[in-house]
Amino acid sequence: MAPDGPTMDLPTRPTPSYSDEDIRMLEALERRVRWLSTWTIHNANHLRDNPDGVKVGGHQSSCASINTIMTALYFHVLTEHDRIAVKPHGSPVMHAIQYLLGNQTQERLKDFRGYGGAQSYPSRTKDNETVDFSTGSVGLGAAVTNFAALTQDYLRMKGITPTERPPGRMMAIVGDAELDEGNIYECLMDTWKHDIRNCWWIIDYNRQSLDGVVNEHLFRVIGRMFRSVGWNVITVKYGRKQMDAFKKPGGRLLKKFINECPNDVYSALAFQGGSAWRRQILEDISAGEEDIGELHDLLNSYSDDELHAVMTNLGGHSMEAVLHAFDQVTDDRPTCFIFYTIKGFGLPLMGHKDNHAGLMTPDQMAAFQQAEGVREGREWEPFEGLDVPEAQVRTFMQKAPYASRKAFRMHDQRIPVPDALTLPAQERTSTQEAFGRILNEIARAGGLLAERIVTTSPDVTVSTNLGPWVNQRGLFGRHQKEDAFRERKVPSAQKWNRSPKGQHIELGIAENDLFLNLAALGLSESLFGGRLLPIGTLYDPFIARGLDSLNYACYMDARFMLVATPSGVTLAPEGGAHQSISTPLIGMGQPGLLSFEPSFADELAEIMRFGFEYMQEEDGGSVYLRLSTRPVQQVQRELDAETKRHITKGGYWLREPKRGATFAIVYTGAVAQQALEAFDILEERFPGAGLLAVTSADRLYNDWQALERARIKGTDGGAMAHIEDLLEPLASNARFCTVIDGHPAALAWMGAVRGHSVAPLGVDHFGQTGTPSDLYDHFAIDAQSIEKAAERMPKVPKQV
Ligand SMILES: Cc1ncc(C[n+]2csc(CCOP(=O)(O)OP(=O)(O)O)c2C)c(N)n1
Ligand SMILES: [Mg+2]
C-alpha cells in the first residue's frame, strides 16, 4: 500500500476548521449514519414482504467505506452553495444523512428500493430535491461535476447569477473503480482545456471494485493523471491511530508493513482480524531489522481487537484525518482526494473480496445492533444508541453550514420566445442549413433569448452550421484570446474570439463530454438559479458514442436541444461509417427527449420555437432534431396556426386524403421529395390518396401509447391521439407506404393504430458510399421503390 500520504503535522490553515469537540460530535453522527444505512438495506432485504421473490439488494460494504467521509462532508464541510454527486452504491448513506437532517422520511427509508421508496442510486427525479446529481452508471456522476463547475463559471462570468455569492464547490464522491471508465479521461481533458475551478473529486480508495481487489499502486497512476491536468492531489492514507502508532518505538516497522503489504493481502487481513494481522506482520518483517524487538513490544501492547482497530484505521476512516485533508484546500484549484478506505469497514463483511453485493446475515445484524446499542423496536430512531448527549448532537447538526441550505432547487425567469422565429426564405435548402440561419437570425436579433442560448459541440461546430452563430456570439473561455488568424488578416469565414462573454463552448471530439456538458448546462436553472437554453450539435451517427451520457442527462431531466446532423444514408459520399440508421428509434425510445425530423425549413423554425418553450415547461423535456444536409425544394406557403400545431404534434397531411381514401404515403425527413414524386404518380391510381408528413414519429407514437395506457386505466376521458385523428379519414381497408432515411420500424407501427396494412420502407443494414440517388435506389427508399411497394401491396394475400 505504498507510499505515505501527507502527515497529520502539515497544517495549511493557521487553525483547523474543527475542534476536538467537533470530532466527537462527528464521530457520534458517523456511527448513526453507519447504523442507519446498514439497517435500511437489511430491512429491505430481510424484513419486508417480497412477494415476487426477486433479490432486493443494496451495498452495505460500499456504504461502510464512505461513512466517515460523507459524515464529515455533510455535517461540517458542505455549504449551501456546494453541489454533490454521491457514488451510486453510497445512496443509503446519503439517505441516512438526509434523514438525520430531517430531509428524508422514515417511510421512504423503510421502502428503500421499493415502489415509491428511497432510490437504490441517488436520483434527482425519483428521490426528493436534496439530490443534486443522479448517479448509477459509474463514471458519469463524477464527470458531470466538472461540467457543472464550467456551467457555474459561465453563469457567473456573464453576471447571469450574482457574483457576490461565493462560488459553490462541485463535489463528487467517487468509487475507485469508476476511474476505469473512459468518460473520466475525456472529461478531465476537456475541462482542463477550460481551466475549471471549484471542483472536488473525493475518491473512496478501498481498492475493491465489484469483482475483486484492484491493482497495486493504482493510486500513483491516479495521482499522476490528475496532476497532469493541473489538479491538486491530496492522498490520505493513515488515520490518527496509525499515525500515533508510528511515533511509538517499533512504529517504523509497522508503517513499513502497511506500505509493503499487497492490496489483496491487506483486504484479506482486514476480514480476518486481530490475530491474523499479528501473524502476518511478524512473518513479513524480517527478523534482521534492528528495531524488530520494538515491533514485538508494540504488537504485544495491543490486544487483538486493538491491533485490528489500528490496522484498519486508514485515513478515510479517521475523522480527524478526513477533516484535516479537507482543510488543506485553500484555493479554487480542482482537487482530487484519494482516501484510503476498507470496503465494508466496521462490518463483518470488511475487506472480503466478494463483499460488493454481500449482505449481513440476520445473526450478524443482531450482533451489530447490540454493539451499536440500538434497542429492539427503536431501529429507526435517529439518535438511538448515541454515546454523547442528543441535545448536543442536534445543536451541532443545526450549526452545520449545509443545514442552512433551504432551497434545493433554484429558479429563474422564463425566457420569452417569439411567436415565430425569423427564417430567411430560400427556394431550396437543407434542414441543417436552415438551422444555422435560424440561429444566426436569433443572434442578430439579440435580446434575452439570444443571451441565454449557449451552444456546444465536440469539434463539429462549423460542419453542423453553428459557424454564423459563433461568429456573432463568440467562444466562451475564462480568459480572453483573440483569433490569431484574424489578427494576421488571414481570410477565414470563422471568427474565433474567445472570452468570458462568448456563448459557444467548444469541446474536443468527445461525445460523452457533449452530453455531460448539456446535462450540466441543462440544469443551470435548478443548480445555480440561472436559466440557459443549451443547444448541442453533433453528427447523428455519433449519438451512439455518448448514448449512456445522453440517457444520463435525460434521467436527470436536464433541458437542452440536441441537433444531430447530418443523418442517414443521405450523407451518401461519407459512407457507412458516418451514416446513421437506428437513431430515429433512439429518439422514440429515449424518455425525456422529444425527437423531430422535419423536411422543410419552415417546419424546423416552428419546431425550434416550440422546442425553446418545451425546454422551459415544468413537464417538458429536451428536444432532439435529426437534420440533413440534403437541399430540398421548399414548399412555397405561409404556415397557418393549425398546420403549425400539427407540425409540433408530430405530423400533418401535406396532401389531404379524401374521406374513404384507400392509399397514403407517409414520410419523414430528407426523403420528402421522393415521397412527393411518388405521390404525384400514385395519386392517379389511388384517387383521393393522402401524403402524410411525419415531423415526429416519436411524438405520434408516444402520445398514442400514453393514451392507450390511460384507456387501460380508464383515465383517458374519451380523448383521441393525434395519429388516430390523422388516420381517421382513411378507409378501414386502406393501405399505406411509409418511408424514412432510417430504420423502417420508426414508422411501421402506424398500421396498428387503426388496423391498416403498411409497407414500411427504410434502411436496416449498413450503408456505403455513393450518391444519395444510388443509395436511395439501393435501400429502396426512392420514388420508384415507393411506387412499386404501393403496387405490390394489394397483392398481399388476404388472411382467411
Ligand atoms: C457503467 C456501469 N457499469 C457497470 C456497473 C456495475 N457496477 C456497479 S458498482 C461496480 C463496481 C464499483 O466499484 P467502485 O467504484 O470501486 O465502488 P465501491 O463499491 O468499491 O465503493 C460495478 C462494476 C455500473 N453501475 N455502471
Ligand atoms: Mg472500490
Side-chain angles (χ1 to χ4, degrees):
M1 298 213 310
D4 302 9
T7 69
M8 208 55 108
D9 316 315
L10 198 78
T12 45
R13 283 193 187 205
T15 50
S17 68
Y18 52 90
S19 64
D20 287 349
E21 184 57 14
D22 291 342
I23 293 178
R24 209 162 73 91
M25 292 297 126
L26 288 165
E27 284 178 346
L29 283 165
E30 176 193 352
R31 281 187 49 217
R32 295 309 303 142
V33 172
R34 177 173 294 106
W35 164 259
L36 285 167
S37 54
T38 310
W39 175 253
T40 299
I41 298 168
H42 182 78
N43 178 72
N45 283 276
H46 294 284
L47 305 173
R48 227 170 42 207
D49 282 350
N50 184 2
D52 296 324
V54 172
K55 176 192 151 196
V56 178
H59 303 83
Q60 289 172 328
S61 300
S62 303
C63 288
S65 78
I66 53 164
N67 275 313
T68 321
I69 297 167
M70 293 256 306
T71 303
L73 281 172
Y74 276 86
F75 295 108
H76 181 75
V77 179
L78 286 177
T79 71
E80 60 173 315
H81 306 297
D82 300 331
R83 304 289 178 263
I84 183 162
V86 175
K87 72 168 190 178
H89 303 77
S91 122
V93 177
M94 180 197 73
H95 293 311
I97 288 173
Q98 296 294 4
Y99 178 59
L100 289 173
L101 286 165
N103 298 325
Q104 177 63 285
T105 64
Q106 198 179 108
E107 287 63 44
R108 286 179 65 95
L109 283 194
K110 284 181 172 165
D111 276 342
F112 172 63
R113 289 187 166 233
Y115 187 65
Q119 299 295 294
S120 336
Y121 308 117
S123 169
R124 267 185 72 85
T125 49
K126 302 283 186 278
D127 280 315
N128 64 25
E129 297 195 337
T130 57
V131 177
D132 296 323
F133 302 102
S134 304
T135 57
S137 178
V138 301
L140 300 183
V144 81
T145 58
N146 286 26
F147 292 101
L150 183 61
T151 300
Q152 176 173 248
D153 281 347
Y154 183 94
L155 293 166
R156 289 170 66 84
M157 292 182 121
K158 292 187 171 55
I160 296 175
T161 52
T163 39
E164 44 300 354
R165 195 164 75 198
R169 293 160 297 185
M170 302 300 113
M171 300 190 186
I173 305 204
V174 190
D176 46 0
E178 295 196 57
L179 299 174
D180 289 338
E181 286 286 359
N183 82 275
I184 294 285
Y185 305 94
E186 295 175 36
C187 102
L188 285 175
M189 289 289 277
D190 250 333
T191 53
W192 168 74
K193 294 176 201 164
H194 284 279
D195 190 24
I196 56 157
R197 311 272 103 195
N198 298 300
C199 193
W200 286 14
W201 282 17
I202 298 154
I203 298 173
D204 173 8
Y205 188 52
N206 59 24
R207 290 148 290 123
Q208 279 189 251
S209 58
L210 194 161
D211 283 337
V213 181
V214 303
N215 293 4
E216 245 42 72
H217 304 304
L218 179 66
F219 78 97
R220 280 219 185 103
V221 182
I222 296 172
R224 244 182 268 145
M225 217 174 49
F226 279 90
R227 282 191 197 94
S228 73
V229 286
W231 286 49
N232 183 22
V233 177
I234 296 173
T235 307
V236 188
K237 185 167 180 185
Y238 313 113
R240 164 52 80 197
K241 286 186 190 137
Q242 292 190 340
M243 289 201 238
D244 287 347
F246 299 157
K247 286 182 190 148
K248 294 180 183 170
R252 184 189 75 86
L253 288 180
L254 191 68
K255 187 170 181 183
K256 182 174 154 66
F257 170 80
I258 293 177
N259 287 347
E260 290 175 359
C261 184
N263 286 342
D264 50 356
V265 176
Y266 211 90
S267 286
L269 291 170
F271 179 73
Q272 289 176 298
S275 57
W277 287 113
R278 202 179 294 278
R279 226 176 304 118
Q280 191 73 42
I281 296 169
L282 293 175
E283 202 174 299
D284 286 4
I285 297 292
S286 153
E289 295 278 359
E290 65 180 66
D291 41 354
I292 188 74
E294 292 174 350
L295 176 66
H296 279 269
D297 291 345
L298 180 62
L299 294 182
N300 287 336
S301 73
Y302 296 126
S303 68
D304 277 358
D305 285 351
E306 284 165 350
L307 180 60
H308 185 56
V310 169
M311 298 309 284
T312 55
N313 183 241
L314 295 177
H317 301 308
S318 163
M319 189 57 79
E320 191 179 349
V322 168
L323 294 173
H324 174 74
F326 289 137
D327 254 13
Q328 291 190 50
V329 178
T330 51
D331 59 19
D332 66 358
R333 249 174 90 192
T335 299
C336 164
F337 297 89
I338 304 174
F339 281 110
Y340 275 75
T341 54
I342 300 175
K343 197 156 169 169
F345 177 78
L347 308 181
L349 309 164
M350 164 142 71
H352 197 289
K353 68 184 172 62
D354 306 334
N355 66 8
H356 183 76
L359 294 171
M360 284 161 71
T361 63
D363 285 348
Q364 288 175 325
M365 199 65 203
F368 182 51
Q369 176 161 6
Q370 204 175 18
E372 289 298 307
V374 175
R375 286 165 291 175
E376 238 182 279
R378 298 182 62 89
E379 290 85 356
W380 296 106
E381 288 303 312
F383 299 107
E384 175 72 5
L386 269 186
D387 48 9
V388 294
E390 181 177 329
Q392 240 174 301
V393 175
R394 283 187 183 276
T395 313
F396 176 81
M397 269 176 32
Q398 278 156 12
K399 279 196 316 210
Y402 182 79
S404 68
R405 183 172 171 187
K406 289 287 169 278
F408 289 96
R409 296 283 192 267
M410 300 178 83
H411 298 285
D412 191 15
Q413 61 180 320
R414 196 173 166 122
I415 314 299
V417 181
D419 291 343
L421 299 180
T422 308
L423 170 71
Q426 283 193 295
E427 250 182 52
R428 277 177 79 80
T429 189
S430 66
T431 46
Q432 176 177 314
E433 189 188 355
F435 162 70
R437 284 173 181 270
I438 292 167
L439 214 50
N440 189 38
E441 291 300 324
I442 293 174
R444 212 158 39 200
L448 200 56
L449 177 63
E451 283 164 24
R452 294 300 181 90
I453 287 177
V454 49
T455 57
T456 181
S457 183
D459 202 31
V460 290
T461 301
V462 175
S463 47
T464 55
N465 276 47
L466 273 180
W469 162 267
V470 181
N471 283 345
Q472 291 200 58
R473 293 276 153 177
L475 286 179
F476 173 72
R478 290 169 53 84
H479 314 286
Q480 189 87 23
K481 190 169 184 294
E482 301 304 324
D483 182 342
F485 284 82
R486 203 161 167 233
E487 280 183 331
R488 284 162 184 72
K489 303 203 166 39
V490 179
S492 162
Q494 318 305 333
K495 296 175 234 150
W496 294 83
N497 284 343
R498 192 182 293 268
S499 82
K501 284 199 187 122
Q503 285 180 251
H504 175 72
I505 300 177
E506 181 72 2
L507 299 170
I509 322 168
E511 286 71 19
N512 270 306
D513 286 349
L514 172 75
F515 294 125
L516 293 171
N517 195 25
L518 288 173
L521 292 166
L523 292 173
S524 66
E525 184 201 9
S526 163
L527 289 175
F528 305 113
R531 193 192 287 274
L532 294 173
L533 295 172
I535 301 178
T537 68
L538 86 169
Y539 295 173
D540 195 53
F542 303 133
I543 284 182
R545 176 66 81 102
L547 196 50
D548 196 29
S549 298
L550 170 62
N551 181 58
Y552 174 66
C554 293
Y555 182 60
M556 286 203 287
D557 198 25
R559 302 297 179 83
F560 51 86
M561 185 177 281
L562 179 65
V563 178
T565 182
S567 60
V569 296
T570 303
L571 184 60
E574 286 285 321
H578 273 46
Q579 295 163 357
S580 60
I581 297 169
S582 59
T583 45
L585 299 179
I586 290 173
M588 291 172 79
Q590 178 62 56
L593 187 70
L594 189 50
S595 61
F596 291 91
E597 185 167 356
S599 306
F600 303 110
D602 55 1
E603 295 170 354
L604 175 67
E606 178 53 19
I607 289 166
M608 285 177 69
R609 183 206 61 75
F610 166 84
F612 291 135
E613 297 279 16
Y614 183 71
M615 286 155 69
Q616 301 187 68
E617 302 280 337
E618 188 70 32
D619 58 352
S622 289
V623 179
Y624 157 32
L625 311 180
R626 188 176 191 251
L627 305 185
S628 169
T629 40
R630 183 179 175 90
V632 172
Q633 186 70 33
Q634 299 296 297
V635 187
Q636 299 308 314
R637 60 182 172 182
E638 194 70 44
L639 289 175
D640 57 46
E642 173 80 348
T643 311
K644 282 184 177 177
R645 203 169 60 79
H646 284 197
I647 285 170
T648 56
K649 284 184 85 175
Y652 67 98
W653 287 107
L654 186 63
R655 300 279 187 274
E656 198 85 38
K658 290 231 165 64
R659 181 152 291 280
T662 55
F663 180 72
I665 297 175
V666 179
Y667 73 92
T668 280
V671 291
Q673 214 156 302
Q674 287 58 42
L676 269 159
E677 278 171 31
F679 182 80
D680 285 345
I681 292 161
L682 289 167
E683 207 184 4
E684 286 183 19
R685 277 200 48 215
F686 302 99
L691 178 62
L692 184 64
V694 170
T695 45
S696 174
D698 178 2
R699 185 131 205 221
L700 290 180
Y701 175 80
N702 283 303
D703 284 355
W704 170 56
Q705 278 304 297
L707 193 62
E708 285 286 79
R709 265 193 311 278
R711 284 170 181 153
I712 289 170
K713 309 235 179 236
T715 56
D716 57 295
M720 292 293 280
H722 186 49
I723 186 65
E724 290 170 329
D725 283 338
L726 285 171
L727 299 182
E728 195 269 337
L730 300 182
S732 61
N733 65 343
R735 299 160 181 280
F736 48 85
C737 178
T738 64
V739 57
I740 181 172
D741 178 1
H743 200 284
L747 296 175
W749 57 271
M750 274 186 201
V753 177
R754 284 184 175 275
H756 295 119
S757 75
V758 173
L761 303 183
V763 180
D764 58 9
H765 56 279
F766 284 121
Q768 55 191 293
T769 51
T771 64
S773 307
D774 293 333
L775 297 187
Y776 284 8
D777 174 36
H778 172 86
F779 286 102
I781 53 173
D782 58 345
Q784 268 196 339
S785 302
I786 299 172
E787 281 173 56
K788 288 201 179 125
E791 276 163 24
R792 226 181 61 76
M793 288 172 77
K795 294 184 193 137
V796 174
K798 275 226 153 55
Q799 216 173 354
V800 279

